Amino acid sequence: MGKTIVCSGKMAESPYIIADTQKKLYSIEEICYYVKTSIYSIDLGFFCPELINFIMEDLGLPETAAKLKSLVMGNYFLSDVITALFCGCDLYSKEEILETVEMVKYLSNMPVWERQAYIGYKKFEERKFLSALKYFRATLREENVSNKDYGEILESTGICLIHVSSFKEAAEYFHKAYKYTQKTETLTLALLALKLGSQDKEFHENAKELTEDENLIADAEKMWKEAEKAAMSGMNAKNIDNMFDKLKTNKVAEGYKEIEMKLEEFKVEYREGAWDGPVS
């Protein structure tokens, strides 16, 4: 989970699995840690009957479970439910509990669009781009978003799309963002995203739909070539060259083993960037 947690209570034989993130929780301490570190995306729906039953049956904490059930069914504030949960173990101090409660109250007072955007940016900072994308798109459907914020959210959506989806769709979002931000850098991002998803001829044809500024297109191509050169001279590219050199020199088994290891690294990197990885 990112840090060592000493569990003083019972450990469940089978974990409780969070539906949205597929994270596995085995103890009351892990549940508390998950809630605190994901506080910006926790709501009363998190404390569903399945979780409460898990706390009662699998963790052997009937009093904590009964208190949570009473608060949830009584439609109490989320801060009250979280306080009751945290008091079910000794993981957090009184000061840490109060700090979390204040954050919950702060988030609850935000307009819907602002809270959605806040969660999106938090997920973005954690490099959980697929999850961030969900919240950014939800924000863009809300009303009362200022033009400045709308443009910035469109731009952030484009960056998420670069990581998890379509380069061309990302270019479209950057172009939409430019209409709000009027920043040259945003339009350059649109051109670079288009370059990622296009062949040279196709790029030049479609770039004209984004801007008539030939100098800006030329600058974007220059940035692309510099980035490409840096990437090809980087350690990852050299490692890949070494792998294929081994294949050419009949060290086939060794070469394929390294390729498989590198592919696994890429998969892990993608999962950690795009999805919430499992707790355990």
Side-chain angles (χ1 to χ4, degrees):
M1 293 179 65
K3 77 172 191 177
T4 301
I5 297 177
V6 178
C7 300
S8 57
K10 181 180 177 182
M11 295 283 289
E13 292 184 10
S14 299
Y16 177 79
I17 302 175
I18 308 297
D20 290 342
T21 63
Q22 292 300 297
K23 287 190 175 181
K24 300 175 182 178
L25 307 175
Y26 288 87
S27 67
I28 190 67
E29 287 86 357
E30 287 192 340
I31 295 172
C32 290
Y33 179 78
Y34 179 86
V35 168
K36 193 173 193 307
T37 55
S38 307
I39 195 64
Y40 45 82
S41 55
I42 296 292
D43 56 22
L44 280 176
F46 175 81
F47 297 92
C48 60
E50 291 78 13
L51 175 62
I52 292 174
N53 187 64
F54 175 80
I55 292 171
M56 180 174 64
E57 299 291 341
D58 295 70
L59 300 183
L61 297 169
E63 292 183 6
T64 300
K67 182 66 174 177
L68 292 173
K69 183 178 180 180
S70 174
L71 292 171
V72 172
M73 292 187 69
N75 203 29
Y76 278 71
F77 292 116
L78 178 61
S79 55
D80 296 324
V81 180
I82 290 173
T83 300
L85 173 70
F86 285 1
C87 289
C89 68
D90 297 322
L91 184 61
Y92 295 117
S93 65
K94 179 180 177 181
E95 290 73 22
E96 288 174 313
I97 294 174
L98 289 174
E99 179 186 339
T100 305
V101 167
E102 287 304 310
M103 174 57 72
V104 171
K105 291 178 179 178
Y106 170 72
L107 291 170
S108 67
N109 289 326
M110 284 183 175
V112 173
W113 75 264
E114 192 174 345
R115 187 170 188 271
Q116 294 274 20
Y118 181 89
I119 297 171
Y121 285 124
K122 282 291 184 181
K123 297 289 185 181
F124 187 93
E125 288 172 7
E126 296 167 5
R127 297 184 61 79
K128 296 171 182 174
F129 298 112
L130 196 62
S131 185
L133 186 61
K134 179 182 75 173
Y135 285 102
F136 286 144
R137 281 182 161 158
T139 306
L140 294 172
R141 290 193 293 268
E142 295 291 337
E143 298 179 356
N144 302 320
V145 183
S146 70
N147 284 348
K148 179 179 179 295
D149 288 310
Y150 199 84
E152 290 176 354
I153 293 165
L154 282 169
E155 187 173 300
S156 298
T157 302
I159 295 172
C160 290
L161 287 166
I162 287 285
H163 285 276
V164 302
S165 185
S166 163
F167 298 136
K168 290 183 180 179
E169 189 180 2
E172 291 172 5
Y173 270 85
F174 289 134
H175 191 227
K176 290 177 186 175
Y178 172 69
K179 295 176 182 178
Y180 290 89
T181 66
Q182 289 298 302
K183 294 190 300 185
T184 302
E185 295 87 348
T186 307
L187 194 52
T188 301
L189 284 173
L191 291 167
L192 290 171
L194 188 63
K195 182 72 176 175
L196 277 168
S198 309
Q199 300 296 326
D200 284 342
K201 183 179 179 181
E202 184 185 5
F203 169 72
H204 284 285
E205 290 174 353
N206 293 332
K208 295 291 181 65
E209 297 177 10
L210 300 182
T211 179
E212 294 292 333
D213 190 335
E214 295 286 353
N215 290 329
L216 191 60
I217 295 173
D219 287 343
E221 287 197 283
K222 182 180 178 182
M223 289 175 65
W224 169 267
K225 289 176 181 176
E226 289 174 352
E228 188 177 43
K229 183 179 179 182
M232 293 307 295
S233 62
M235 189 56 68
N236 279 336
K238 289 178 180 177
N239 287 341
I240 291 170
D241 283 340
N242 289 337
M243 292 176 204
F244 283 103
D245 283 342
K246 287 179 179 178
L247 295 180
K248 293 174 185 176
T249 56
N250 296 321
K251 296 182 180 179
V252 178
E254 187 177 343
Y256 275 121
K257 185 176 180 181
E258 288 192 26
I259 290 172
E260 287 176 4
M261 289 174 62
K262 182 56 66 176
L263 285 172
E264 282 304 312
E265 287 178 17
F266 288 153
K267 288 177 185 177
V268 169
E269 184 178 332
Y270 175 79
R271 284 195 295 266
E272 290 180 350
W275 300 88
D276 290 295
V279 171
S280 303

